[in-house]
Amino acid sequence: MKQIYLDNAATTRMRPEALEAMMPHLSEAYGNASSIYPLGEEAASALAEARRTVAQAINAQDREVLFTSGGSESDNWALIATAEAYESKGRHIVTSAIEHHAILHTAEYLEKRGFEITYLPVDEDGRVSPTDLEAAMRPDTILVSIMFANNEIGTIEPIAELAKVAHDHGALFHTDAVQAFGHIPIDVKEMGIDLLSASAHKVYGPKGTGLLYIRKGVKTKAFIHGGRQERGLRAGTENVAGIVGFASATELALAEQEEEAARLAKLRDYAIGRIEREIPYSRLNGHRTERLPNNVNFSFEFIEGEGMLLQLAFKGISASSGSACTSGSLDPSHVLLAIGLPHEIAHGSLRLTLGRETTRDDIDFAIDSLKGTIDNLRAMSPLYEDFLKAHKQAS
Ligand SMILES: *Cc1c(COP(=O)(O)O)cnc(C)c1O
């Protein structure tokens, strides 16, 4: 059976060029970048080159980029180390209600350590308002952390405006750009970003590699203690192969970005249009235009999300109900609740995230299957039956 993968926000299939770039570093080029003989130098120069590539992708200097094990580590580092480095100035941090759990759970950890966190609400499209941020800023606010684009509903935040508000009040600005990096343009200098998290496996690179950008002049603390790797801030022998794969994937994503983003946005809008026209009682979640080019997220009334996902999986379609981390739990997504959906509607939600291998035929097949699935599930739903009866009586 044909498999259609529509969960690229959860992870992406590594592109062959990235795998190929990694291979030597998993075999003959196995040196430790800290060693002085040629094998070590080879690893060190591969690292330096990779650092230059990913730094250029966001208009940063090489020195401002630290390699990590992925987006979660970068988010943990950004929040915890910044909190510790600036706690003499204040203990207040502002973030949003729709962040990834790598931010939200780190914020909770910091709350237990005596920091105060403000969780900004979002509007019905999932946007954080700069006016709300302005009102939340205090003299003791040290850091604002707002994601670049949301992983569930695809909404892109007004990053430059939010960063400006943070700076006007003397705070630093961090963004979790895991879903945006490589997919849409990011310029840390132009946008006023002080810290930024990214992850390789969301951009067709390998799992287990990411980066944290820390602007020159921003204080931080060592996050892993040990050797002198990553300027003494993150100890541990570098994952050279992973980092080289990350750089390769980044370089190619950037070269293709404009064209691929336009292709995906067109497919996305085609999918959204078909669902809105052909499936009644559906609602698009997330902003219609300020939206990641690959994200489609809908709620369907009278539908239970897990049942829908299982039926789709049966037809060879890999999709998700929200974030990969919350699938399998019965709690509705915190993002869908934050945009104001009632529990029962949030439960009937579907996220389709397209990727570089997604075609128009895939979308058509997925939506045809979805229509059948929703008809089936609604036919079995007593709530839907009652609703139809009431509807008939009313008309
Ligand atoms: C996937 C994701 C993360 C976590 O990245 P990992 O590399 O899997 O640790 C963090 N934030 C967002 C927005 C994500 O989508």
Side-chain angles (χ1 to χ4, degrees), residues 9 69-73 75 100 102 147 149 151 176 178-179 199 201-202:
S69 67
S72 298
E73 181 186 328
D75 285 346
H100 189 275
M147 69 202 317
N151 47 304
D176 173 344
V178 171
Q179 291 291 336
S199 176
H201 78 100
K202 302 286 176 78

Side-chain angles (χ1 to χ4, degrees), residues 206-285:
K207 291 166 184 61
T209 303
L211 68 81
L212 178 63
Y213 156 79
I214 307 179
R215 179 176 60 73
K216 187 165 176 261
V218 171
K219 285 189 287 179
T220 192
K221 296 250 176 182
F223 196 60
I224 296 187
H225 306 280
R228 301 291 309 157
Q229 291 93 351
E230 299 300 296
R231 300 189 0 240
L233 295 170
R234 193 213 186 247
T237 303
E238 301 87 346
N239 175 6
V240 180
I243 289 166
V244 166
F246 184 15
S248 162
T250 301
E251 193 168 21
L252 291 160
L254 238 63
E256 298 165 2
Q257 190 179 76
E258 215 178 305
E259 206 179 328
E260 179 63 358
R263 184 188 77 89
L264 286 172
K266 213 168 138 192
L267 263 188
R268 171 198 69 190
D269 293 339
Y270 171 72
I272 290 174
R274 268 204 69 185
I275 294 174
E276 287 184 327
R277 279 192 308 275
E278 299 177 32
I279 304 182
Y281 312 113
S282 60
R283 173 201 196 275
L284 176 70
N285 296 315

